[in-house]
Amino acid sequence: MGFPEAATGASTALLTDHYELTMLASALSDRTADRPCVFEVFARRLPDGRRYGVVAGTGRVLDAIADFRFTDAELSQLEATAVVDDATLSWLADYSFSGNIDGYAEGELYFPGSPILTVTGGFGDAVVLETLILSILNHDSAIASAAARMSGAAHGRPIIEMGGRRTHEWAAVAAARASYLAGFATTSNLEAGRRYGIPTRGTVAHAFMLLHDSEEEAFRAQVDKMGADTTLLVDTYDITKGIETAVRVAGTELGAIRIDSGDVGPLARKAREQLDSLGAEDTRIVVSGDLDEHAIAALRAEPVDAYGVGTSVVTGSGAPTAGMVYKLVEVDGRPVAKRSAHKESRGGRKSALRRHRETGTAVEEVIWTDGSVVPERGPNDHELQIPLVRDGRTVDDLPTLDDARQRLRRALVSLPWEGLKLSHGEPAIPTVFV
Amino acid sequence: MGFPEAATGASTALLTDHYELTMLASALSDRTADRPCVFEVFARRLPDGRRYGVVAGTGRVLDAIADFRFTDAELSQLEATAVVDDATLSWLADYSFSGNIDGYAEGELYFPGSPILTVTGGFGDAVVLETLILSILNHDSAIASAAARMSGAAHGRPIIEMGGRRTHEWAAVAAARASYLAGFATTSNLEAGRRYGIPTRGTVAHAFMLLHDSEEEAFRAQVDKMGADTTLLVDTYDITKGIETAVRVAGTELGAIRIDSGDVGPLARKAREQLDSLGAEDTRIVVSGDLDEHAIAALRAEPVDAYGVGTSVVTGSGAPTAGMVYKLVEVDGRPVAKRSAHKESRGGRKSALRRHRETGTAVEEVIWTDGSVVPERGPNDHELQIPLVRDGRTVDDLPTLDDARQRLRRALVSLPWEGLKLSHGEPAIPTVFV
């Protein structure tokens, strides 16, 4: 299990926008590339109507930065396509990030303007990481933010993530990680099991049922192989007959049935009655099939024991990207910011703390810039940034993926009740700039 | 450039759902794993209101299948986590796909029910590929389908894909490929340049402007390095002053200006007037910033020379996944299909042709199953599936990525005018099942 996860060794250097390197080339030419800079990752707003965001991907970012090296393969590609000149190629050949990174821990909540990640270093040192950092944080945080809403709606019932087939094959692995961070119990994705130690689950699909000459033969093959404690898929033909056959084949020790189609609420109620009448009182009911946080919430009163969630979680349930940006906020110790009419930003390196009542309920996110008056810190407040990288080295003893899971659980409990509603609304707590 | 692109060599075998392997284990146990099967990829419907879909990702699928091998690393992971038993591990150790694959060529249009990919082989042989095939096709086709609408809206003006930072770092590479297939001119993504030979472009971001003590110094540094034919970003401070400074620094030979914020229509008009009055009549205007197909269409009458598109294309412009499924349709030569109330499928191996009028306008998608009467093929009709894999080997001389680009261009021209409208509507042509 892990955070930081083992780096893969393959270079991540070309997972980068062309302009990061042409900017670098110009800055090397006019000797501005070494100017001390601070870049900041933040989101101007939450996705439409969302009340909080969940930071996810930081562990993957740190691994990807460790693998951000220009080897001969990358350099010869850049040379062949004339992206940059020889002086820049030499600089890139020696590149490894040597600055500092601070940021919100994974599993922390964020709000509009939260300084989620702060990268300090020479301009060239820090600018070349922009695309990669944003790709990872925007994707993983979008998934975790959606998954946290689903976990809340499930109210303690386990959710299995099974959406890998609905998203890019490697995004699927990251999505499994982000969903697990956000409280999902397991995933169907085997690579996520290998890479992050997330427990994987699965039994059979409808194809297995259709492969056999009858439902009974399929059930028998599965029970023979996996034992009676397996999950039988009962909706290939007729659900009532399916359940009858399932209990006849597996006995009342049958672990679970799965219903993957139809109006699963009424179907689950009917199935529960039937299972109970057959003496299979301990057989669980798993439902799946186009569930999102709203469908899960609507099933709260139904006799459902576990949910399978696919498309909606891997696509961020309507918000497939978190909209985070990476902005230069300080040059040579002076705050800088774009000043045209739109998309304005606040200059200066920022710090943040979250204020809480004595009861533990979060009240506001307080953000201040270097040089301004540091707000008083009450006994229930906590600062939000932690050191992640010092002089290019990832710090020791960073929180693990399981730590991030715990952190998010605690953070969600701290939100005002309003903030946990699934309906559209304002951010759960205001962001206050000192 | 290429299709099939060079395989990467890293195993793709664990980019797979747990249940594919447990199904296999049960089927090996009861000796159904070798039953001759046909699986079919299709979409039950197009995303809400869309009029056509674009097949993309087939080339990546074929590469990923070539790399679908269980090496010691994968097998020991499966053993350690007890996903399957020893007999299944042995079977997997010897696995390489040995069946046939037919499918729509990349760049072909698809409609509800189109048999996009048909996989023929033993049950075990074919079932283990489900997750990987769907991940790639669902992602890449969603992006290409959105990108094609944008290319159409741009009406010949070039679009640069620059959304890598808004999606998973590897999804970004595939998104660049799919956008290029769908008519985009270039990408910002350097890995897509390396892997697929797509031309990459980029100049500077606002960070480069803020790094410098003045806009003029930034422009001068950029022009000194990249020449006057570069694109200057004029909206960091005041656009009118920015354009004035840009032409003063670069001269009337200035290649382009970019406007990345604000109401870009009126801004482009004003910029055009100003550039012309300064004698920079050949200086182009590039606009970017939250553009989607509707925003692009709305700019058709404005003096815009090129578009930069990010978030909307990499997230499929509201439809981030294509909703394709992989269904078992034939076992031992007999059609099979799920029969419960919802999500019904049509059994049997299918073929498809598209009928056209003499004028070349598409009329309907005709689909028939093995054993039914083969529809007559008129002189303007063409069959839609091509052989992709025979006995496990990718066939020679498959269409390239540039071929796919051409194919899509021709296919879009063949649609009835209605079918190219951006507004919500029915599929451009009906699907007729014989």
Side-chain angles (χ1 to χ4, degrees):
Chain A
M1 174 103 25
F3 170 147
E5 307 94 27
T8 62
S11 172
T12 55
L14 293 194
L15 299 170
T16 295
D17 285 335
H18 188 117
Y19 80 2
E20 315 289 6
L21 301 192
T22 46
M23 273 193 275
L24 171 69
S26 291
L28 284 169
S29 260
D30 83 338
R31 293 162 206 266
T32 50
D34 288 334
R35 286 195 173 179
C37 286
V38 179
F39 284 84
E40 180 186 299
V41 173
F42 64 96
R44 289 197 172 85
R45 66 194 75 82
L46 298 176
D48 193 28
R50 291 280 181 87
R51 294 162 188 256
Y52 61 84
V54 175
V55 175
T58 319
R60 295 211 309 117
V61 164
L62 298 180
D63 284 344
I65 291 175
D67 290 331
F68 196 91
R69 302 296 177 97
F70 292 82
T71 72
D72 288 348
E74 287 75 39
L75 294 169
S76 59
Q77 165 67 18
L78 295 175
E79 192 176 11
T81 48
V83 173
V84 290
D85 59 2
D86 288 349
T88 308
L89 290 175
S90 306
W91 191 94
L92 292 173
D94 292 336
Y95 179 80
S96 86
F97 180 68
S98 60
N100 294 339
I101 303 180
D102 299 83
Y104 281 36
E106 279 198 287
E108 189 55 86
L109 302 177
Y110 72 88
F111 299 94
S114 294
I116 292 160
L117 203 78
T118 306
V119 179
T120 310
F123 176 78
D125 224 23
V127 79
V128 296
L129 299 177
E130 173 179 26
T131 309
L132 185 58
I133 288 175
L134 286 179
S135 287
I136 296 174
L137 292 180
N138 271 325
H139 175 266
D140 292 14
S141 299
I143 308 302
S145 299
R149 288 160 57 86
M150 296 172 192
S151 297
H155 217 70
R157 290 173 180 169
I159 310 181
I160 176 172
E161 182 282 310
M162 39 183 257
R165 64 189 55 195
R166 304 284 177 229
T167 186
H168 183 276
E169 68 274 22
W170 281 103
V173 182
R177 181 184 185 277
S179 311
Y180 182 71
L181 186 160
F184 279 36
T186 53
T187 178
S188 63
N189 190 283
L190 290 171
E191 184 65 31
R194 165 159 69 175
R195 205 163 275 243
Y196 305 117
I198 301 170
T200 63
R201 291 290 181 276
T203 47
V204 306
H206 291 111
F208 185 80
M209 306 304 299
L210 297 174
L211 169 68
H212 288 85
D213 298 329
S214 73
E215 192 171 45
E216 178 161 350
E217 282 177 57
F219 286 164
R220 203 167 296 284
Q222 186 181 338
V223 169
D224 282 352
K225 191 69 194 173
M226 307 186 199
D229 192 33
T230 189
T231 301
L232 294 176
L233 185 54
V234 295
D235 68 345
T236 308
Y237 305 100
D238 174 276
I239 295 180
T240 305
K241 283 191 200 144
I243 291 173
E244 194 187 301
T245 309
V247 176
R248 188 171 70 246
V249 169
T252 55
E253 304 299 294
L254 174 60
I257 60 162
R258 177 157 79 100
I259 303 172
D260 182 51
S261 50
D263 189 356
V264 291
L267 291 175
R269 236 177 298 148
K270 222 175 120 191
R272 182 75 273 157
E273 279 170 25
Q274 189 184 356
L275 286 168
D276 290 350
S277 77
L278 293 169
E281 282 106 352
D282 294 333
T283 300
R284 283 158 289 129
I285 297 175
V286 182
V287 301
S288 56
D290 293 330
L291 298 179
D292 64 8
E293 61 268 47
H294 303 287
I296 292 170
L299 290 166
R300 191 173 289 178
E302 305 297 347
V304 169
D305 298 285
Y307 303 96
V309 174
T311 306
S312 66
V313 70
V314 301
T315 58
S317 198
T321 185
M324 293 177 190
V325 294
Y326 184 87
K327 291 296 170 191
L328 180 59
V329 293
E330 195 180 288
V331 178
D332 279 338
R334 287 190 311 273
V336 296
K338 184 164 177 290
R339 283 204 310 268
S340 64
H342 300 269
K343 294 191 185 173
E344 254 185 280
S345 306
R346 287 177 183 82
R349 174 201 297 277
K350 296 173 198 69
S351 304
L353 61 79
R354 191 166 298 146
R355 291 204 191 282
H356 298 83
R357 290 187 212 290
E358 263 178 61
T359 55
T361 303
V363 178
E364 61 184 15
E365 190 103 333
V366 183
I367 299 173
W368 66 99
T369 49
D370 268 18
S372 65
V373 181
V374 177
E376 223 171 293
R377 186 176 166 224
N380 304 303
D381 305 339
H382 69 267
E383 294 203 19
L384 289 158
Q385 286 203 331
I386 61 171
L388 298 168
V389 174
R390 284 295 172 266
D391 300 326
R393 265 198 82 249
T394 302
V395 304
D396 295 330
D397 299 322
L398 283 176
T400 64
L401 182 55
D402 274 328
D403 292 339
R405 238 166 113 86
Q406 301 305 330
R407 183 183 301 270
L408 176 58
R409 196 177 302 183
R410 286 194 306 271
L412 287 170
V413 169
S414 80
L415 282 187
W417 281 56
E418 274 276 312
L420 293 173
K421 287 168 76 172
L422 292 179
S423 55
H424 276 42
E426 296 299 308
I429 57 171
T431 308
V432 178
F433 287 88
V434 175
Chain B
M1 175 104 24
F3 170 145
E5 307 93 28
T8 63
S11 172
T12 55
L14 294 193
L15 298 171
T16 296
D17 285 334
H18 187 117
Y19 80 1
E20 315 288 6
L21 302 192
T22 48
M23 273 194 275
L24 170 68
S26 291
L28 285 169
S29 259
D30 83 337
R31 294 161 204 267
T32 51
D34 289 334
R35 287 196 173 178
C37 286
V38 179
F39 284 84
E40 180 186 298
V41 173
F42 64 95
R44 289 199 173 85
R45 65 195 76 81
L46 298 176
D48 192 27
R50 291 281 181 86
R51 294 161 188 256
Y52 61 85
V54 175
V55 176
T58 319
R60 296 210 309 115
V61 164
L62 298 180
D63 284 343
I65 291 175
D67 290 332
F68 197 91
R69 302 296 176 98
F70 292 82
T71 71
D72 288 347
E74 287 73 40
L75 294 168
S76 59
Q77 165 67 17
L78 295 175
E79 192 176 14
T81 49
V83 173
V84 290
D85 59 2
D86 288 348
T88 308
L89 290 175
S90 306
W91 191 94
L92 292 173
D94 293 335
Y95 179 80
S96 86
F97 179 69
S98 61
N100 294 339
I101 303 181
D102 299 83
Y104 281 37
E106 278 197 288
E108 189 55 87
L109 302 177
Y110 72 89
F111 298 95
S114 295
I116 293 161
L117 203 78
T118 305
V119 179
T120 309
F123 176 78
D125 223 21
V127 78
V128 296
L129 300 177
E130 173 179 25
T131 309
L132 184 59
I133 288 176
L134 286 179
S135 286
I136 295 174
L137 292 180
N138 271 324
H139 175 267
D140 292 14
S141 299
I143 308 302
S145 298
R149 288 160 58 85
M150 296 172 192
S151 297
H155 217 74
R157 292 173 179 170
I159 310 181
I160 175 171
E161 183 282 309
M162 40 181 257
R165 64 189 56 194
R166 305 283 176 228
T167 186
H168 183 277
E169 68 275 21
W170 282 103
V173 182
R177 181 184 185 279
S179 311
Y180 182 71
L181 186 159
F184 280 36
T186 52
T187 178
S188 64
N189 190 284
L190 291 172
E191 184 65 30
R194 166 159 69 175
R195 205 164 274 242
Y196 304 117
I198 301 170
T200 64
R201 290 290 181 277
T203 47
V204 305
H206 290 111
F208 185 79
M209 305 304 299
L210 297 174
L211 169 69
H212 288 84
D213 298 330
S214 72
E215 192 172 45
E216 177 160 352
E217 283 176 58
F219 285 164
R220 203 166 297 283
Q222 186 181 338
V223 169
D224 283 352
K225 191 69 195 173
M226 308 186 198
D229 192 32
T230 189
T231 302
L232 294 175
L233 185 55
V234 296
D235 68 344
T236 308
Y237 304 101
D238 174 275
I239 294 180
T240 305
K241 283 192 199 143
I243 291 174
E244 194 188 300
T245 309
V247 176
R248 190 172 67 245
V249 168
T252 53
E253 304 300 295
L254 174 60
I257 60 162
R258 177 158 78 101
I259 303 173
D260 183 50
S261 48
D263 189 356
V264 292
L267 291 176
R269 237 176 297 147
K270 222 175 118 188
R272 182 74 272 157
E273 280 171 25
Q274 189 184 356
L275 285 168
D276 290 350
S277 76
L278 292 169
E281 282 107 352
D282 294 334
T283 299
R284 281 158 291 129
I285 298 175
V286 183
V287 300
S288 56
D290 293 330
L291 299 179
D292 63 9
E293 61 268 48
H294 303 287
I296 292 171
L299 289 168
R300 190 172 290 177
E302 305 297 346
V304 170
D305 298 285
Y307 303 96
V309 173
T311 305
S312 65
V313 71
V314 301
T315 60
S317 199
T321 185
M324 293 176 189
V325 294
Y326 184 87
K327 293 296 170 191
L328 180 59
V329 294
E330 195 181 288
V331 178
D332 277 339
R334 288 191 311 273
V336 297
K338 185 164 176 289
R339 284 204 310 268
S340 64
H342 300 268
K343 293 190 186 175
E344 254 184 280
S345 306
R346 288 177 181 82
R349 174 201 297 276
K350 296 175 198 70
S351 304
L353 62 78
R354 191 165 299 149
R355 292 205 191 281
H356 299 83
R357 292 187 210 290
E358 263 179 62
T359 55
T361 303
V363 178
E364 61 185 14
E365 190 102 333
V366 182
I367 299 173
W368 67 99
T369 50
D370 267 18
S372 65
V373 180
V374 177
E376 224 172 291
R377 186 173 167 227
N380 305 301
D381 306 339
H382 68 266
E383 293 203 20
L384 290 157
Q385 286 204 330
I386 60 171
L388 299 168
V389 173
R390 284 295 171 266
D391 300 325
R393 263 197 85 251
T394 302
V395 304
D396 295 330
D397 300 322
L398 282 175
T400 64
L401 182 54
D402 274 328
D403 292 338
R405 239 167 111 87
Q406 301 305 329
R407 183 183 301 270
L408 176 58
R409 196 177 301 184
R410 285 194 307 271
L412 286 171
V413 169
S414 79
L415 282 186
W417 281 54
E418 273 277 312
L420 293 172
K421 285 169 77 173
L422 293 179
S423 55
H424 276 43
E426 296 300 308
I429 57 172
T431 308
V432 178
F433 287 89
V434 176

